[in-house]
Amino acid sequence: MSVSEPFIARPIATSLLMVAMLLLGALGYRFLPISALPSVDFPTIEVTTLYPGASPDVMASLVTTPLERQFGQIAGLTAMTSNSSFGVSTVTLQFTLDRNIDDAAQDVQAAINSAKGTLPANLPYPPAYNKVNPADSPILSLAVTSDTLPINQVNDFADTVLGQKLSQVSGVGLVTIEGNQKPAVRIQANPAALAGLNLGLEDLRTALVQANVNAPKGSFSGAAQWFTIGSNDQIGSAAEYQPVIVTYRNGAPVRLSDIARVSPAPTSSTPSTASRSCCRSCRRPSRPR
């Protein structure tokens, strides 16, 4: 006796059993629970741009806004959120579920290339993008402190050594460093002194750029030996900026300390940010907060 023999011998009972199963399935489908916030992995790409020394307002106007204009033309984009802080601009792009993340990454790269003409020419690095999952939360948080080293050196250690080593661990997808404290110098020019010397802010900026470079210096070669000139012209503290010669007037040098006040930039544990977000339907970002 096979399993199908009773069903073949009783076709009416078999038909009624199939109808009952269909009715129970339809009834059970109506009582299935529906999650108000389902766990859905939307294709998301995050674009990060570094511009050291720029305030949140400068980052929002010179970096974030030109990128948003180009990203807004990408097909399949449903939401775009931006965050501009001290020297860092982050734009998060969320696409529709049917959009392939690899194809979206190519469109993001093309938009970045199109925006290069409107971005600042002195960006140290081009905008970088990576795939992210907004639903993922950090599985491990580490705090780095020191009783002897300043906060900027601790930040440099976490950025150049600790973060890179953690990224090499198998299974680690992304390492982010929060609360960065980059060394900076604040120069407050005296407009009256500049006008008296027939100088402008652009002249001051050009002089500082030329005085703070790290470029090849050349070499000496002889009959038996060859020497490379090793010298670093980069300035590392506010005290080293003060004697920088900006120009000459009447045969005398005009130093930076004569026309500006130089001081270390204050550090803040809670840097201000400028955040904006918009969706596909409006394309009108909210005002910076």
Side-chain angles (χ1 to χ4, degrees):
M1 180 178 178
S2 63
V3 178
S4 59
E5 184 176 351
F7 298 97
I8 297 174
R10 298 174 177 81
I12 298 178
T14 303
S15 301
L16 294 175
L17 180 62
M18 295 299 299
V19 172
M21 294 181 62
L22 290 174
L23 293 176
L24 289 175
L27 183 63
Y29 179 79
R30 293 174 59 90
F31 288 97
L32 285 176
I34 299 176
S35 176
L37 297 174
S39 179
V40 181
D41 186 11
F42 284 93
T44 306
I45 295 180
E46 184 178 82
V47 182
T48 304
T49 309
L50 302 179
Y51 194 16
S55 64
D57 293 337
V58 173
M59 292 297 299
S61 60
L62 296 185
V63 178
T64 306
T65 300
L67 289 176
E68 286 180 344
R69 291 174 181 172
Q70 296 296 328
F71 293 152
Q73 304 176 15
I74 299 178
L77 182 65
T78 59
M80 178 168 53
T81 304
S82 63
N83 182 30
S84 302
S85 59
F86 281 103
V88 181
S89 170
T90 304
V91 182
T92 303
L93 309 174
Q94 189 176 93
F95 299 89
T96 57
L97 289 174
D98 57 349
R99 185 70 195 275
N100 184 274
I101 188 65
D102 295 327
D103 296 339
Q106 296 180 3
D107 293 341
V108 170
Q109 181 62 59
I112 293 175
N113 295 336
S114 300
K116 284 184 177 180
T118 57
L119 294 176
N122 56 345
L123 279 178
Y125 308 102
Y129 65 91
N130 59 289
K131 306 173 186 176
V132 296
N133 185 3
D136 288 344
S137 58
I139 61 174
L140 179 63
S141 298
L142 300 177
V144 183
T145 60
S146 176
D147 297 332
T148 57
L149 296 177
I151 188 63
N152 57 350
Q153 295 185 15
V154 176
N155 174 83
D156 182 68
F157 169 78
D159 190 11
T160 59
V161 179
L162 185 59
Q164 294 185 8
K165 292 299 181 181
L166 292 177
S167 301
Q168 298 173 5
V169 178
S170 177
V172 176
L174 180 64
V175 176
T176 58
I177 300 177
E178 304 293 340
N180 292 355
Q181 297 288 347
K182 298 292 186 181
V185 175
R186 176 173 294 175
I187 299 176
Q188 296 178 333
N190 186 349
L194 290 175
L197 296 172
N198 196 20
L199 295 175
L201 292 178
E202 184 62 24
D203 299 327
L204 180 59
R205 188 196 69 84
T206 303
L208 293 177
V209 170
Q210 294 177 352
N212 188 15
V213 295
N214 185 17
K217 304 301 185 297
S219 61
F220 293 108
S221 60
Q225 292 180 323
W226 182 78
F227 297 95
T228 300
I229 302 175
S231 178
N232 188 355
D233 294 337
Q234 287 184 310
I235 303 176
S237 63
E240 296 176 350
Y241 271 96
Q242 295 183 2
V244 171
I245 299 176
V246 179
T247 186
Y248 287 88
R249 288 294 184 269
N250 299 325
V254 177
R255 303 187 183 276
L256 183 61
S257 57
D258 300 331
I259 57 176
R261 184 175 64 179
V262 184
S263 61
T267 58
S268 173
S269 58
T270 57
S272 60
T273 58
S275 302
R276 294 188 294 181
S277 62
C278 67
C279 58
R280 183 70 176 178
S281 58
C282 61
R283 284 282 177 260
R284 182 174 299 173
S286 58
R287 292 185 179 179
R289 295 181 296 176

